[in-house]
Amino acid sequence: MRALPLAAALLLAAPVSAEVYTTGELGVVIERAAGSVLIVSHTRRAALARIEGLGDLSHASVTFSPDQRFAYVFGRDGGLTKIDLTTQTIANRVIQGGNAIGGAISDDGRLVAVSNYEPGGVKVFDADTLELVADIPMESKTVGLADVPGSRFIVSTWDSGQAWLLDHSADPANPEITVFENVGANPYDALVTGDGRTYIVGLFGEKGLTAIDLWADDPQPVRFLPDYGKDEPDLPVYKMPHLQGWTLAGDSFALPAVGLHQLLWVDAATLTESGRTDLHGQPVFALARPDQREIWVNFAPPDNDTVQVIDTMTHEVIQTLTPGPGVLHMEFTPRGREVWLSVRDENRIEIRDTRTYEVIGEVEAQAPSGIFFTDRAYRLGL
């Protein structure tokens, strides 16, 4: 028998003392009141580590590097924090603005962009070092920042009602800029569809929404649903719907209505309304299970102890669940077998089986809000 090389023999003989975690099983939970995040494993249904010192996380969002190793946390106070999920440490942190609202990472993983209320505009950073690459003033608060294929980002301006397409492919420090005028009054959030084709903008200053077909030779803003809610009394809006919680299910968009207790169904090809579903309260997130067979919806106060499940074929509510007070966010495991629900006011994450709807696990967390799993690294518009 041929002898093994010494190094290989020693490796085989060495005991395995440290537990191994793979990046595909990991995620991040925002602990908004504490300014910390939990690193969690969805396969083990457990918290692995707490990272502290991340500042104001009251409106935090997270995106991931293409290899799933690094999480970029965008804080409301302008903090941009890079977390190494493998070492469970802060790899880098900068304060890039005074009031930030979200961010995105380019499809090649080289650039991280942040949208700002103060000082406004968008700042773009080297994803490795967090050094500033480009500062793009827009004389407006910016919202709805998303990545677009080709080292590009798109963002909307609250004050001027525009959308800006930033192309960093040729020169990251000096992007080619396309400005779309007349997007609508006071865009408050936006999303890019999973194929990277359509940018959809929600409007706060007027009824309706706007879509931009980024595959078109000459993309133009197109208004749709201009009359939704026109004949209903306006209700107080306790929490704005999150457009990155809107979803495409089959051939329809499922959109949470602003100021209404309804889910709107819109034909994705024609952008015309195809139906409505009456809901328990004002919807915030409307998320499709990864197989798109169901839509899960949570609600603004005072109805935020409830989650409803809607059948995408019939548009009917098939389950009404009450996880507990303050259900702020939901995240499906990559294939959708489980859903994690942040129950802020009970300091816990509740885990449910999406077929039986039964509770199958729980993770303690300090006032949890956003939940983000690393499979987002492979999805556009996040």
Side-chain angles (χ1 to χ4, degrees):
M1 179 181 297
R2 188 177 64 177
L4 286 171
L6 177 59
L10 290 173
L11 181 62
L12 290 173
V16 178
S17 58
E19 192 165 8
V20 175
Y21 300 102
T22 57
T23 56
E25 71 181 278
L26 300 180
V28 169
V29 175
I30 301 296
E31 295 183 314
R32 58 185 294 164
S36 56
V37 301
L38 286 181
I39 298 176
V40 298
S41 165
H42 61 74
T43 60
R44 303 162 201 252
R45 300 176 188 153
L48 308 181
R50 174 174 283 114
I51 310 297
E52 299 178 320
L54 275 70
D56 183 354
L57 300 183
S58 59
H59 196 283
S61 61
V62 178
T63 192
F64 297 94
S65 60
D67 59 5
Q68 301 181 321
R69 177 177 177 179
F70 296 105
Y72 297 88
V73 182
F74 307 96
R76 189 60 186 260
D77 57 0
L80 169 58
T81 307
K82 180 180 179 179
I83 295 175
D84 189 330
L85 300 177
T86 62
T87 62
Q88 301 174 356
T89 59
I90 293 177
N92 205 344
R93 176 172 165 80
V94 298
I95 301 297
Q96 59 80 42
N99 189 340
I101 198 66
I105 189 168
S106 60
D107 58 353
D108 60 5
R110 299 175 62 184
L111 300 173
V112 174
V114 188
S115 60
N116 287 296
Y117 276 4
E118 178 61 43
V122 170
K123 291 185 179 180
V124 180
F125 299 85
D126 183 287
D128 184 28
T129 65
L130 296 192
E131 293 180 357
L132 183 65
V133 173
D135 186 353
I136 307 161
M138 299 176 185
E139 298 182 355
S140 171
K141 298 175 182 178
T142 51
V143 298
L145 177 66
D147 62 285
V148 180
S151 296
R152 296 181 297 165
F153 300 101
I154 190 166
V155 69
S156 293
T157 56
W158 165 271
D159 300 290
S160 55
Q162 301 168 323
W164 290 47
L165 182 64
L166 314 174
D167 186 343
H168 295 263
S169 59
D171 184 353
N174 296 285
E176 180 181 339
I177 298 174
T178 302
V179 179
F180 302 101
E181 302 286 354
N182 301 316
V183 167
N186 300 129
Y188 71 89
D189 202 357
L191 65 84
V192 169
T193 53
D195 56 9
R197 177 171 185 171
T198 308
Y199 184 60
I200 298 178
V201 183
L203 305 176
F204 186 75
E206 62 183 272
K207 296 294 185 183
L209 306 96
T210 300
I212 302 175
D213 184 352
L214 300 175
W215 289 7
D217 292 335
D218 181 23
Q220 296 294 328
V222 176
R223 305 292 183 90
F224 67 103
L225 298 189
D227 296 325
Y228 98 78
K230 181 178 179 180
D231 298 325
E232 292 93 345
D234 286 331
L235 298 174
V237 178
Y238 296 106
K239 185 174 178 62
M240 293 297 291
H242 282 249
L243 270 69
Q244 288 193 351
W246 295 9
T247 194
L248 178 64
D251 57 2
S252 296
F253 291 113
L255 312 177
V258 176
L260 301 177
H261 294 186
Q262 290 180 330
L263 189 69
L264 308 178
W265 297 89
V266 176
D267 184 282
T270 64
L271 297 179
T272 57
E273 183 179 333
S274 58
R276 299 191 184 192
T277 302
D278 290 329
L279 298 173
H280 172 73
Q282 292 183 17
V284 176
F285 286 99
L287 302 180
R289 202 172 64 189
D291 63 359
Q292 300 186 358
R293 189 65 180 83
E294 293 176 349
I295 308 294
W296 288 55
V297 182
N298 71 333
F299 301 99
D303 302 310
N304 61 357
D305 63 340
T306 299
V307 171
Q308 289 189 306
V309 183
I310 293 92
D311 186 304
T312 56
M313 297 291 289
T314 65
H315 297 181
E316 295 179 354
V317 175
I318 56 175
Q319 288 286 328
T320 297
L321 311 171
T322 53
V327 179
L328 298 191
H329 198 238
M330 305 169 287
E331 181 84 333
F332 292 96
T333 52
R335 292 194 175 188
R337 183 68 199 195
E338 300 175 5
V339 63
W340 288 39
L341 309 163
S342 59
V343 188
R344 179 197 59 194
D345 297 351
E346 293 183 351
N347 296 308
R348 63 186 179 88
I349 301 293
E350 183 173 282
I351 306 169
R352 289 184 181 249
D353 185 297
T354 56
R355 267 49 179 193
T356 67
Y357 310 106
E358 297 297 323
V359 178
I360 55 175
E362 187 174 288
V363 175
E364 292 184 6
Q366 299 175 12
S369 54
I371 306 169
F372 307 88
F373 293 141
T374 56
D375 67 300
R376 286 170 169 253
Y378 305 138
R379 293 155 56 191
L380 290 170
L382 296 177

